[in-house]
Amino acid sequence: MTTSAPREAIFTPDCLDFLAKLASNNERDWFKSHQSEYEAKVRTPALNFISVMAPHIAKLSPRLTAVPKKVGGSLMRPQRDARFSKDKTPYKINVGIQFRHFQGKDVHAPGLYLHIANDGCFLGAGIWHPDSKALSQIRSCIDDNPNAYKQALKQLSDAGFNMEGDSLQRPPKGFDKHHPMIDELKRKDFIAIKPLDTRQLFAEDFDTWCAKQFSQVNKLMGYLCFALDLDY
């Protein structure tokens, strides 16, 4: 009888250690001189995670992508876009991985997300900062089909996810302030978040744990895709 070798954890404390050092040395010259360390401790584990997650993601939905590429895939690039920010530091001090809908062109498409950072790690699902057309479609869908949306919210709550993101101060145009779903209609982001701790992140079965968590957001993902006329 043969036994399989024990699995090794994909992510290790080395990943967070590097991000902490980057936070204290957020300069291009420092990053360039520590490029090999970034590759070994951050980017390679992240790409390995995406590869291992690919079959899990395909089972959740064949429309979601898991692409283990250094550029243009599921791993978000380390460089910050500081053009419109007072913070001009060049690098992100987190790891972002998104399994987004194949019909989406950027991070604003519906998708599943993993965020790794020293100030908090979490899983996410939904759509962040949709454009005005998409936002209008989602709000109209909630207005027309509130029960399916409520079912999605219950599934999220039961699984330990919370809806987060930005919201309007006032009701959106065309909706009464007394609308029974007004708090949901005010949302500008439709993102469900579940915190995770390093014990989970560094576990040998982190990929299967993530897949199980993501399977519990399928109602929200399906609802958003329905609202946006996307297959799921």
Side-chain angles (χ1 to χ4, degrees):
M1 180 178 178
T2 59
T3 58
S4 59
R7 296 179 60 187
E8 293 184 358
I10 298 174
F11 292 106
T12 71
D14 286 343
C15 177
L16 290 178
D17 289 345
F18 180 86
L19 294 176
K21 287 193 288 186
L22 177 58
S24 299
N25 302 274
N26 204 329
E27 299 172 352
R28 288 184 175 84
D29 288 344
W30 185 91
F31 189 87
K32 187 175 181 180
S33 66
H34 290 77
Q35 182 77 32
S36 61
E37 188 179 355
Y38 166 74
E39 294 289 343
K41 297 180 177 179
V42 180
R43 184 141 70 177
T44 295
L47 294 176
N48 289 341
F49 173 74
I50 295 166
S51 295
V52 172
M53 283 296 293
H56 295 302
I57 297 299
K59 287 181 181 179
L60 293 171
S61 171
R63 275 82 183 185
L64 298 180
T65 58
V67 183
K69 292 170 56 178
K70 290 185 176 181
V71 179
S74 299
L75 177 62
M76 296 181 177
R77 65 189 204 133
Q79 293 83 6
R80 294 183 62 250
D81 183 354
R83 292 174 298 170
F84 309 107
S85 173
K86 292 181 180 179
D87 179 3
K88 297 301 181 183
T89 52
Y91 298 103
K92 302 170 186 172
I93 54 174
N94 69 274
V95 177
I97 295 171
Q98 188 191 36
F99 305 109
R100 67 173 178 263
H101 198 284
F102 81 100
Q103 288 176 282
K105 296 180 180 179
D106 55 29
V107 68
H108 306 290
L112 307 173
Y113 179 71
L114 168 64
H115 184 91
I116 300 173
N118 280 289
D119 62 356
C121 302
F122 62 84
L123 299 180
I127 185 168
W128 180 74
H129 286 13
D131 61 29
S132 58
K133 179 183 177 183
L135 200 51
S136 178
Q137 287 178 276
I138 295 169
R139 286 170 176 159
S140 293
C141 193
I142 292 173
D143 186 37
D144 294 337
N145 304 278
N147 289 336
Y149 185 75
K150 290 176 182 177
Q151 291 173 14
L153 294 181
K154 183 179 187 308
Q155 183 189 43
L156 294 171
S157 178
D158 290 346
F161 283 82
N162 292 307
M163 293 293 288
E164 297 189 14
D166 294 337
S167 292
L168 297 171
Q169 294 294 319
R170 298 177 178 276
K173 186 177 180 179
F175 294 98
D176 188 271
K177 64 180 180 180
H178 299 298
H179 193 290
M181 300 290 286
I182 194 59
D183 287 340
E184 298 303 316
L185 294 170
K186 284 182 180 180
R187 292 191 183 279
K188 295 194 288 183
D189 300 309
F190 289 85
I191 290 288
I193 298 295
K194 181 171 186 174
L196 63 96
D197 59 34
T198 54
R199 175 181 54 84
Q200 295 158 331
L201 178 65
F202 302 146
E204 297 169 2
D205 62 346
F206 181 56
D207 59 309
T208 54
W209 182 84
C210 279
K212 181 178 179 181
Q213 307 312 307
F214 285 148
S215 71
Q216 299 176 93
V217 300
N218 65 310
K219 289 184 184 296
L220 175 67
M221 290 294 296
Y223 190 90
L224 293 174
C225 287
F226 171 75
L228 299 174
D229 297 320
L230 300 173
D231 294 328
Y232 187 69

